[in-house]
Structures are given as structure tokens and as C-alpha cells.
Amino acid sequence: MLAFLRQTFFSFIPAWIIAFVFASVLHSHFVLFELAALDIDIPVSKWLTMVLEDLSGLLPTYGAIIAVTLTLSFFIASRLNSLLEKRALTLTKNGAAGIFGAAGAIGFLVMLAAMQPILDVTLIAGARSHLGIAAQCIAGFVSGIVYGRLR
């Protein structure tokens, strides 16, 4: 039990924080870049304010959805990693981190694809384009790498 709590606190929480902050900031920038493309002048102070407001505003919803997504993704990746170890396919620390990185990215892709039919809305406006979806998946990938390195 103590090992589980230690792993959760020292591995999962930092990975989740990185995923949420990275995904939220990317979302904000994609929206703001779209507004700038429409020749809407947004001062730097307003730009920063909007990014900070998105961080606090998305935390209860998107933050929770990301936590559930990463929990499932990392659980599956952990089982895959254990299976590989049982088959005598020992991975280096970087190889195992890569499995978690891929799991984080795939988890984000599935999460974004599932939100539209479930919620009947694209919750993350920054993920309405292919590039925006890729950026969100990169947040999941980075989070998975962090989790894999810390565990």
C-alpha cells in the first residue's frame, strides 16, 4: 500500500500536472492564434490573463478527464510492460518510459475522440484541428515519458 501511495504521489501526480498544464496552455494558444489570424489585436497582458484563466477554468473538468485518461492509459501500459518483462523482453528505463509516452498520447487521442459523442460538444476548442489534436496528444506523450521515468 505504501509503495502504491509513493508511486502515485511521486510519479502520477507530477505527470498529471504536466499533462494538464501543457494541454491547457496549448489549448489557450491555439484559440488565441485563431483570434489573431482574424486580425483581432490581443495585447500580451490580455494573452497571459486568458492563459491563466483557462488554467483555472479547465481544471475541474478537463483536469479530471485527463486524470481518468492517464490512470487508464498508464494502467494498460503497466500491464503491457509487465507482459514484456515476463516474456524476457527487458526494456531499458528509456524503453519503458517510451511505452508510457505512447500510452499517454494514445489515451489523449481516445479521450478527445470520445468527448464529442459523449458530451455532444468539443470541450477543447484548441483541439478542433488536426494540429490541435496532435498538440494535445504531445501533452499526453510528455506526461507518459515523465511518468515512465519517475516510476
Side-chain angles (χ1 to χ4, degrees):
M1 179 66 160
L2 185 60
F4 171 76
L5 291 174
R6 192 178 84 233
Q7 182 176 0
T8 299
F9 186 75
F10 291 112
S11 301
F12 183 79
I13 300 296
W16 169 75
I17 290 169
I18 287 169
F20 171 71
V21 169
F22 198 23
S24 179
V25 169
L26 285 169
H27 154 74
S28 301
H29 281 68
F30 269 81
V31 171
L32 291 166
F33 284 134
E34 288 296 320
L35 291 172
L38 297 172
D39 290 329
I40 298 172
D41 184 37
I42 305 170
V44 173
S45 62
K46 186 65 174 171
W47 191 289
L48 292 173
T49 300
M50 292 174 81
V51 169
L52 293 174
E53 286 175 358
D54 278 350
L55 277 169
S56 65
L58 289 173
L59 183 58
T61 53
Y62 198 40
I65 292 169
I66 288 173
V68 170
T69 297
L70 293 179
T71 299
L72 294 171
S73 298
F74 295 163
F75 175 77
I76 293 167
S78 179
R79 295 293 150 229
L80 178 60
N81 194 33
S82 295
L83 180 66
L84 290 174
E85 287 175 355
K86 286 180 184 175
R87 303 264 185 209
L89 298 171
T90 306
L91 297 174
T92 64
K93 186 78 167 172
N94 289 336
I99 288 174
F100 287 100
I106 292 167
F108 263 66
L109 182 62
V110 170
M111 169 189 67
L112 292 169
M115 279 198 290
Q116 176 63 36
I118 292 172
L119 300 174
D120 197 30
V121 67
T122 303
L123 179 66
I124 304 304
R128 289 185 181 149
S129 68
H130 294 301
L131 188 58
I133 291 170
Q136 294 294 306
C137 290
I138 289 170
F141 179 79
V142 170
S143 171
I145 294 292
V146 169
Y147 179 81
R149 297 292 291 165
L150 291 177
R151 70 184 284 276

